[in-house]
Amino acid sequence: MTPSLAAAPTFDLDAVLASIDTMAAQKPVAAQVVSVANAEDTDAKALSQTLALDVALASRVMKLANSAYFGMRGRVTSLQFAVTVIGFTTVRTMATVALTDLDDESRLPADFWRMSTGAALAASLLAPRFGERPQDALCLGLLAPVGIALLHHNDPEGHRELTAAESTCLGRRTAEVRRYGIHALRLTAVALEQWGFPSSMIAPLSAVDDLAAHEGALLRAALELASRLTVVDYVPVPVEELTGGVLREDAVPPVLDRVAAEADELRLAMLGD
């Protein structure tokens, strides 16, 4: 049973989302990258020219393009090529990370990026089994925890206690709804919708708690695998149950091995360390 927590601060969803818009005003280039990447008439040249105005963000894009994940070690030497390699959705995801201060680990819960990169890589590796594109799944995994960061920033002590008291993903979301009126993944969905992300990115977040909904199956599996790697004394939930039988337990070990091997490099690329 969850222990009694101190009263939660007033949680105003509109105020939280407005604060992100304020952050965007402080990082105009990253905001412009998000906008340009979302435009229908954008090409790699135009996006790379905008991206080049933010040296730190451009450096992260280059590092990611040359990472093991994309298999291009040292062969990506121009920003335009890097944009082509990782794709517009990934560039927009990286810019969103910068906008929301997710690249500042001092403002985040412990192990935030271990969970985020673990979920991202797991989603990417499992994507073909669910009929999804690996790069889109990677972005979904990276962005899914945005709501966790927002709740933590609004109520750091309370959210830390809540997380420590609940060992399962579902348990944490249930406790978040009791405390804030919304859970972290739903908050992420609201934020992504406001920022113009496609419905294909939003639907899995909205369907994550409906075990009968195929749209949420990949995300449920990815979060489960990431939890197995990052949460101490985690009690696994059978992946067959989470995915309607699409994924079996005998397929999990090799995926966990790859996630464990590659997650740190992805974290470094996303954070620019």
Side-chain angles (χ1 to χ4, degrees):
M1 180 177 294
T2 304
S4 177
L5 301 177
T10 301
F11 187 80
D12 185 332
L13 178 59
D14 291 336
V16 170
L17 295 177
S19 72
I20 299 173
D21 290 338
T22 301
M23 294 177 190
Q26 297 169 349
K27 298 180 179 180
V29 175
Q32 188 177 359
V33 169
V34 172
S35 177
V36 171
N38 196 34
E40 293 184 0
D41 59 349
T42 296
D43 58 21
K45 181 178 180 180
L47 183 54
S48 63
Q49 288 174 338
T50 302
L51 184 59
L53 300 174
D54 187 324
V55 175
L57 184 55
S59 175
R60 293 174 197 173
V61 168
M62 289 291 293
K63 182 178 289 188
L64 181 60
N66 279 296
S67 69
Y69 177 80
F70 288 98
M72 300 289 289
R73 290 275 191 204
R75 288 183 283 167
V76 180
T77 58
S78 76
L79 191 54
Q80 184 172 332
F81 187 27
V83 167
T84 302
V85 168
I86 73 172
F88 287 15
T89 301
T90 309
V91 172
R92 182 169 54 174
T93 295
M94 297 181 76
T96 302
V97 165
L99 278 181
T100 52
D101 281 338
L102 297 186
D103 53 356
D104 182 357
E105 290 187 283
S106 68
R107 295 168 56 88
L108 300 171
D111 289 335
F112 176 90
W113 273 103
R114 287 187 65 214
M115 173 62 79
S116 178
T117 53
L121 285 171
S124 175
L125 293 168
L126 294 172
R129 295 173 179 266
F130 295 83
E132 303 291 344
R133 296 177 65 246
Q135 286 180 236
D136 290 345
L138 181 82
C139 294
L140 174 63
L142 287 170
L143 290 175
V146 164
I148 294 175
L150 296 176
L151 292 177
H152 180 83
H153 181 63
N154 187 71
D155 178 30
E157 291 301 323
H159 194 262
R160 189 178 297 114
E161 291 177 26
L162 179 154
T163 300
E166 295 290 349
S167 61
T168 68
C169 297
L170 178 58
R172 291 177 185 179
R173 291 197 294 274
T174 301
E176 286 167 349
V177 171
R178 285 199 302 265
R179 187 166 175 82
Y180 307 111
I182 190 171
H183 64 66
L185 295 182
R186 178 58 189 152
L187 180 55
T188 299
V190 171
L192 294 188
E193 187 172 18
Q194 175 168 307
W195 299 328
F197 276 81
S199 58
S200 59
M201 293 282 285
I202 298 166
L205 294 159
S206 300
V208 70
D209 287 327
D210 182 359
L211 294 182
H214 177 74
E215 295 91 338
L218 174 57
L219 181 58
R220 286 191 293 272
L223 292 171
E224 170 64 20
L225 268 59
S227 295
R228 294 184 187 187
L229 289 172
T230 59
V231 179
V232 177
D233 297 328
Y234 183 74
V235 179
V237 178
V239 292
E240 292 94 342
E241 176 184 324
L242 296 173
T243 65
V246 174
L247 186 67
R248 296 173 56 87
E249 281 295 333
D250 57 9
V252 168
V255 177
L256 288 176
D257 289 344
R258 281 198 60 184
V259 171
E262 298 177 13
D264 194 52
E265 183 179 16
L266 178 58
R267 183 188 70 82
L268 294 176
M270 294 299 297
L271 298 179
D273 292 346

